Amino acid sequence: MTITVTITGTGIEFEREVSEEKAAKIVSIALTGDAESDSDREVDVPDAADDTDRRNAVELPGNFFDRLSRKQDAYVRTLLDGDGWLTNAAVRERMADEYGVETGGPQGISGIRAGFTRKYSGEFDVDEQRWTGEQNEYRLNPDYADDLASGFDLSTPD
């Protein structure tokens, strides 16, 4: 059986299909931080239910919607509408076209994101960023997508 392993971090995203044996070693290293080749070591791998419980436990700050600037509001709505990764250029274009918000160029998104950090001191990350080799791409942090959609009342009408 082949398993897809994805490694993400600041400025990196790597995905590769590996054997079940290699995947077990990668998980072992990720969970223990130990690269020993002790193949007999048992690794406690959290199951999907544990992951879902952690994801459901994550909440937006209580005053999140009240503290959004006009640009931050447009940025979050743009990412909600985007349903996945959007390039810096696409985010800026959609913010201008759909919400009438000009960002002032490629560095404008960095300023919008920095505003979240200033307001919440790294308490949470509303979005995720990755470098494509040419420009940054952004998407909403999946942990907050449902709460954000509800908060903006973007549910579909009956």
Side-chain angles (χ1 to χ4, degrees):
M1 173 163 80
T2 303
I3 296 174
T4 302
V5 175
T6 303
I7 300 171
T8 59
T10 304
I12 185 172
E13 182 156 329
F14 175 81
E15 189 172 289
R16 177 171 289 166
E17 290 188 8
V18 297
S19 69
E20 200 170 341
E21 180 182 336
K22 285 185 180 181
K25 287 181 183 179
I26 291 168
V27 169
S28 174
I29 292 168
L31 293 174
T32 65
D34 188 1
E36 285 182 16
S37 61
D38 183 0
S39 59
D40 295 330
R41 181 178 13 187
E42 203 170 302
V43 177
D44 181 25
V45 178
D47 63 18
D50 291 342
D51 187 45
T52 301
D53 290 344
R54 273 193 300 277
R55 200 174 309 123
N56 291 338
V58 177
E59 294 181 11
L60 289 171
N63 59 354
F64 178 79
F65 294 99
D66 295 333
R67 296 185 71 190
L68 287 175
S69 69
R70 183 170 175 251
K71 286 183 180 181
Q72 288 172 334
D73 183 282
Y75 176 70
V76 172
R77 288 176 186 267
T78 298
L79 294 182
L80 270 169
D81 294 342
D83 194 33
W85 292 101
L86 293 173
T87 64
N88 186 308
V91 171
R92 290 182 291 112
E93 182 179 322
R94 288 180 183 201
M95 286 176 66
D97 292 348
E98 296 172 25
Y99 301 102
V101 174
E102 297 294 331
T103 60
Q107 298 304 315
I109 301 301
S110 296
I112 292 168
R113 296 179 80 235
F116 288 117
T117 303
R118 282 190 302 274
K119 288 178 185 177
Y120 301 107
S121 305
E123 185 179 319
F124 82 107
D125 294 314
V126 72
D127 65 350
E128 297 176 340
Q129 171 188 3
R130 70 180 180 190
W131 177 250
T132 67
E134 294 182 23
Q135 64 179 306
N136 285 311
E137 290 184 329
Y138 307 96
R139 73 174 178 186
L140 281 182
N141 181 332
D143 292 340
Y144 301 110
D146 291 340
D147 288 340
L148 290 166
S150 296
F152 284 122
D153 195 22
L154 298 178
S155 55
T156 56
D158 293 331

